Amino acid sequence: MTQRHRTGAAAALVALALCAGGCTAATGGVRGTPGASGLRDSYFPKLGNGGYDAVHYALSLAYDPGTGRLDATAAITARATQDLSAFNLDLDGLTVTGATVDGAPAAYNRAGHELTLRPHDEIPEGTEFRAIVTYAGVPEAITDADGSAEGWLRTPGGAVAVGEPQGSMTWFPGNHHPSDKAAYDITLTVPAGLDAFSNGVRTERRTGADGRVTSVWHSAEPMASYLATVAIGRYETGAATADADGDGGGTDTGTGSASAPGSASASGDGPGDRSVPVLTAVDPAVAAGSAALRDEIPVILGRQAERFGPYPFSAAGVIVEKDGTLGYALETQTRPVFPAASFDRTTLVHEMAHQWFGNSVTPATWRDLWLNEGFATYAEWLYTEEYENVPARTHFERAFAQDANWTFPPAAPPAAENLFDAPVYQRGAMVLHKLRETVGDDAFGEILRGWPAKYRHANATTDDFTAYAESVSGKDLDALWDVWLYGDGRPAKP
């Protein structure tokens, strides 16, 4: 709820509250109202912030694996969606040492994981502004409601950062809700002998006079903050290209240095054959065992482009860590992260499918997560149907028989700890298979390609999807949604 305008003594009290905890003082007239401190998501009501849309993040991070200390600056370009007197950023832990808005010192205050900035002057609605926050400290991981760890995870000699659903706020301040996507430039400085990887295309890699290595990563396409990643350590790299359109173009593969920036476009904006650079980074301890599957990435990407439409990003690849730190694979944008034990063909197909379903088309709220996981799981079923002679119907019947898939509807997980439970994945895929059987293969194929095209680099809801499927098929599908997407119990037969 937007707060009403405050004047006089009340405004002074607001300023004092914002400056509690040792923030710098700000002066100047304030006529706007503060942006909301959360977006009231069903599962994470305090995540995200109101009053602005983030446009671009420029993150400069220097990391010392020996001490675990991170020294950082975040420059956030955003557009005000109301007249702003103050606005919030999500940041867990770490110590803020300074803040500016459009070059002028800004007051700042911490309360839990909320960082409130009060600019010198109000920001009029529609105005683009730039906030810069300097901060430092030892990032700490977050333990989710389901017991898994996320955020900035220290490894022997390095670190890996993963953020679904809320871990990205452990290493940079931002609007950490999937509904606010932005472009990113991430600059990583690490000690000599180490390398650092992130999302997108590496545009620069240099060694300073002190021996430290700096890498600059550019993600031009919009990205939700939970999909941002960092991997620091010793890695073996591989470079290849893949057909971005799925039209049978070449996929030259090979290994070698991946420090040069890629130049191919895979955004789907132009005609003709297009290729995308594929960069892989793997812990040397697991390089040999993962080499064969890593070599398949261009082929798998090309096959998925045939089925789902042009690959939506300007880079691709994977990061493979040795086991012990990361307990799961994650579809971090353009470059999914895997522990070695999870780097198998099924999981690779799943995480790469997320580049279309979840990364390009991103859920508007966490309740819409089945749109990510149901599609990625069904991508596994389609892959085995096309290339391993196991029909998708076989997977459907196996999933139908499992009691765990019927504990709640995929579109209505009861709580945050259930977001990654079986119904979201398996029953989500079952919804898609019943849709396929109901509308036929031709219409379903059109939905598979048209859905990520219609909402490319945007956010979408479950209602958006059901309306889209009905518009493409020309059918009233209420009965299907009522039973398979929203129904509480298992039907009498599959």
Side-chain angles (χ1 to χ4, degrees), residues 18-59:
L18 286 171
C19 286
C23 70
T24 58
T27 60
V30 177
R31 298 180 300 278
T33 56
S37 61
L39 295 182
R40 298 187 179 183
D41 188 277
S42 300
Y43 305 103
F44 305 99
K46 296 299 289 182
L47 277 187
N49 306 282
Y52 66 94
D53 287 328
V55 176
H56 179 263
Y57 291 86
L59 307 178

Side-chain angles (χ1 to χ4, degrees), residues 369-371 373-375 377-378 381 395-396 398-414 421-435 465 479-491:
L369 186 66
W370 83 274
L371 289 170
E373 302 302 346
F375 269 103
T377 301
Y378 200 67
W381 298 5
H395 292 288
F396 173 86
R398 291 171 181 168
F400 184 88
Q402 295 174 9
D403 292 342
N405 292 328
W406 299 97
T407 54
F408 59 82
D421 284 357
V424 176
Y425 291 70
Q426 296 291 319
R427 192 170 161 192
M430 294 169 70
V431 171
L432 297 175
H433 190 74
K434 290 302 294 186
L435 174 63
F465 176 72
L480 188 156
W481 311 133
D482 288 345
V483 173
W484 296 94
L485 185 56
Y486 294 108
D488 287 326
R490 178 163 33 197

Side-chain angles (χ1 to χ4, degrees), residues 14-15 78 87 140-141 153 157 171 209 223 232 308 321 399 416 427 476 494:
V14 171
F87 59 93
E140 295 186 3
L153 308 177
W171 56 281
M223 178 167 68
I232 296 169
F308 307 140
E321 300 281 349
R427 192 170 161 192
D476 182 340

